[in-house]
Amino acid sequence: MSSELRTRSIVGVALIAVALGALLSGGLIFWTLLVVAGVLMQGEWGDLTGATPEQRKAAMFAVSIPLALLCPYAAGIDWPVLIAGAAAFFFVLFTSRSLKLALGIPYVCLPIVALLFLRGQAPYAYGLLLAFWALGLVWATDIGAYFAGRSIGGPKLAPRVSPSKTWAGLAGGVLAALVLGFLLHRFGGLPIQLAAASGVLAVAAQLGDLLESHMKRRAGVKDSGTLLPGHGGVMDRLDGVATAAPLAALLYIILVQGG
């Protein structure tokens, strides 16, 4: 095993361990991890959109306000967070005169709100299951897409954006997400509607990956950052979560709570 692959593997295992530990703990610990990741993602978003250092710092400060209000001991998921999020968006938009930079606010806030919402469902084990489903299906999609793309190959999915992605990889990712969804239904009690929707969320996760790939290509960089050895930046690890988690929460509201 090369030193680069060894580093990537060690960091990858550590990241999964931290994520699962925070997920199991829930509450303040889970919120803290998400907030730290969110603020770092906003900084990386600023780099990819060509923001100046001052604009980047201002955007990171702005996004921290609605994220702080999400604290279990503050407002939680309620109207003050929506108002603060909208205020943060317009603050960044007007001060930087950059819509691209301002769009980082909803890009960061929506998946965090979604994950906290799912994790907060009662009882404890049910909220844990929902949040694990939203995160796990992204991991399953990445793994399925990687192995299917490597073993099958074939036509490229979006060659101008991400030359390595194939339609076979997308199919493998969808299949892996569906397998995880139905396993969680069979052995964990995940609602069947959500298990069946896992394939749709796999597509959303892949679209999130393509969005970040497009941004990196426009910025002329390989990774969104250098914080995580062998993995790049925080956005490189959470690009699929950023698009899949909000849709997962929406589907839960529509298919389960509204069903």
Side-chain angles (χ1 to χ4, degrees), residues 11-25 29-30 33-34 139:
V11 174
V13 171
L15 290 173
I16 292 175
V18 170
L20 290 178
L23 187 61
L24 284 167
S25 299
I29 294 177
F30 190 47
L33 179 64
L34 291 178
W139 301 337

Side-chain angles (χ1 to χ4, degrees), residues 90-106:
F90 286 110
F91 169 79
V92 175
L93 178 63
F94 293 142
T95 57
S96 68
R97 300 182 183 275
S98 171
L99 177 60
K100 290 181 180 179
L101 179 60
L103 287 174
I105 302 295

Side-chain angles (χ1 to χ4, degrees), residues 148-238:
R150 288 288 296 270
S151 60
I152 300 174
K156 302 297 182 181
L157 179 62
R160 292 186 178 182
V161 177
S162 183
S164 63
K165 293 190 179 302
T166 63
W167 284 100
L170 175 62
V174 169
L175 178 60
L178 284 169
V179 169
L180 176 65
F182 281 103
L183 285 174
L184 291 176
H185 167 68
R186 175 66 178 82
F187 298 105
L190 182 73
I192 186 66
Q193 309 97 304
L194 300 184
S198 297
V200 176
L201 295 174
V203 175
Q206 289 289 284
L207 289 175
D209 195 319
L210 290 174
L211 170 63
E212 198 215 3
S213 294
H214 171 70
M215 294 179 68
K216 290 189 293 187
R217 183 170 288 271
R218 292 288 298 271
V221 297
K222 179 183 177 182
D223 298 315
S224 65
T226 58
L227 181 64
L228 306 173
H231 292 264
V234 179
M235 277 183 66
D236 291 314
R237 293 301 88 212
L238 298 178

